[in-house]
Amino acid sequence: MNHAIDRRSWLKQTGLALAGVGLSSFNSPYRLKNPADAILLSSNENAYGPSPAARKAILDNYLGSNRYPDDAIVLLQKAVAVHCKVAKENILLGAGSSEIIGLACLHAAKKGGHVICADPSYREWNGQAAAFGLSFRRNHLPKSETTAGQLYGPVIADTRMIYICNPNNPTGTVMDVKAIEQFAINASKKAIVFIDEAYTEYAPVPSLAPLAITNRNIIVARTFSKIYGLAGARIGYAISHPETIITVSKYQPWPAANLSAASTAAAIASLGDHDFVTDCLEKNRQAKEMCYACFREINLEYIPSSANFILFNIDMIAGRFAEVMTQKNIQVKYRDAYGGKWCRVSMGTIEEMQAFTTACKQV
Ligand SMILES: Cc1ncc(COP(=O)(O)O)c(C=O)c1O
């Protein structure tokens, strides 16, 4: 990959380029949340993104922000369809896959009822789903392999949606796709099966998109926030049956113009930047190996991950660990799971992971 434009110099460039319209780069008031030197390993972003092609597309297109992005959105819809080997009518774009999850919950919530999900699993959307009137049935997800039928079933009268995150956040584990497929075919006769593939590009498992395009009750969600390094651009999409896409799109205020022009251009460019993806996957693999070696050395239990983060147990060191990470300005995510205390660390750059493993060893 051409890393000639590194993150800092790109930000400097864009900061200069945008200075005239009152915007600037990471050290601006728009980024108060994170100190300038923070090592951000808490949100499973891609530290190397956006890709060089996406950076160029953002710079080339932000000046067109005075126009509505209808045309560009159709182009992205087509590009995503080609990428996923489905028809344009199978794709619904959203501001991140979060919007897609929200739309599915809204659709599922018409008659109240509950969502079945694994525990631990991704929960950010739970507040919105609850506001729509849905409750939750959380089924314990073992650390070792399990089948979808064991985990999510049975689907009962009040079940409106089954949320399946594969690979799962925060464990990084993957479930056998054939087992999910079998489960989804049966469960979708009674409820919506929502398959969150936010980390699918990192995992050695096929997408369930082919199943979703022929089944009105199966929705697959994917995102540009992870491997494509565009978390701040907010682009995600649903893959489903064309009728479901139309139904769900009606909950959006303006589906034909719901993404920013610059973000849309960045996403289209990202799909063509294969070198960036290959390079990021390799760096992610190396970063995970570094962490595994560190955890083994200091005897911390961890769950081998098929994504860009690792969950490891900190019961032995809980108090001081958080303190050391805070002192070093390293942001990670703490989580109660499996009756103990765990920490989820996202894979940053190799240098950032060196800082993280050094900090771990100091505890
Ligand atoms: C499993 C999972 N799904 C969805 C999302 C939301 O991502 P976005 O809205 O940026 O596409 C995340 C973000 O971390 C996630 O981990």
Side-chain angles (χ1 to χ4, degrees), residues 38-263:
I39 297 182
L40 306 177
L41 307 177
S42 55
S43 299
N44 303 342
E45 298 148 336
N46 180 347
Y48 295 103
S51 83
R55 293 171 190 203
K56 184 171 181 313
I58 291 168
L59 291 178
D60 288 350
N61 285 279
Y62 81 92
L63 282 176
S65 298
N66 58 324
R67 302 291 174 196
Y68 286 114
D70 314 41
D71 294 348
I73 283 178
V74 174
L75 291 181
L76 177 57
Q77 215 178 5
K78 284 184 183 159
V80 167
V82 170
H83 175 72
C84 297
K85 300 187 178 65
V86 300
K88 178 177 142 297
E89 290 68 28
N90 295 120
I91 301 295
L92 178 68
L93 299 170
S97 54
S98 300
E99 183 183 345
I100 303 297
I101 305 176
L103 296 171
C105 289
L106 188 57
H107 186 46
K110 279 191 184 146
K111 287 182 276 172
H114 63 258
V115 184
I116 300 180
C117 39
D119 185 26
S121 190
Y122 183 60
R123 287 186 176 205
E124 207 62 59
W125 53 277
N126 286 189
Q128 190 188 29
F132 291 152
L134 291 167
S135 56
F136 301 93
R137 284 196 169 205
R138 302 186 198 280
N139 295 341
H140 172 73
L141 172 75
K143 284 179 242 168
S144 57
E145 209 165 298
T146 183
T147 69
Q150 276 172 335
L151 180 60
Y152 299 103
V155 175
I156 57 171
D158 260 7
T159 307
R160 301 284 172 255
M161 186 166 120
I162 301 102
Y163 171 83
I164 302 176
C165 189
N166 203 44
N168 186 47
N169 177 8
T171 55
T173 46
V174 280
M175 217 180 288
D176 175 47
V177 169
K178 280 268 163 264
I180 298 181
E181 204 170 67
Q182 211 42 57
F183 171 80
I185 289 168
N186 288 326
S188 63
K189 289 174 190 153
K190 297 184 186 158
I192 295 170
V193 179
F194 189 94
I195 303 165
D196 186 336
E197 295 188 350
Y199 301 96
T200 196
E201 293 86 356
Y202 293 98
V205 290
S207 166
L208 280 157
L211 190 62
I213 60 173
T214 53
N215 187 316
R216 285 175 185 74
N217 257 357
I218 301 181
I219 302 174
V220 166
R222 295 176 70 174
T223 184
F224 283 87
S225 298
K226 306 301 174 185
I227 192 68
Y228 295 108
L230 286 172
R234 310 303 300 127
I235 311 236
Y237 54 95
I239 307 167
S240 192
H241 189 282
E243 281 175 22
T244 306
I245 295 292
I246 291 173
T247 306
V248 173
S249 74
K250 290 192 176 136
Y251 301 119
Q252 290 180 314
W254 191 0
N258 63 339
L259 307 173
S260 84
S263 295

Side-chain angles (χ1 to χ4, degrees), residues 13-36:
Q13 267 181 34
T14 45
L16 291 174
L18 298 176
V21 287
L23 297 173
S24 71
S25 65
F26 274 132
N27 298 330
S28 78
Y30 299 99
R31 201 122 177 136
L32 268 184
K33 197 177 93 186
N34 303 309

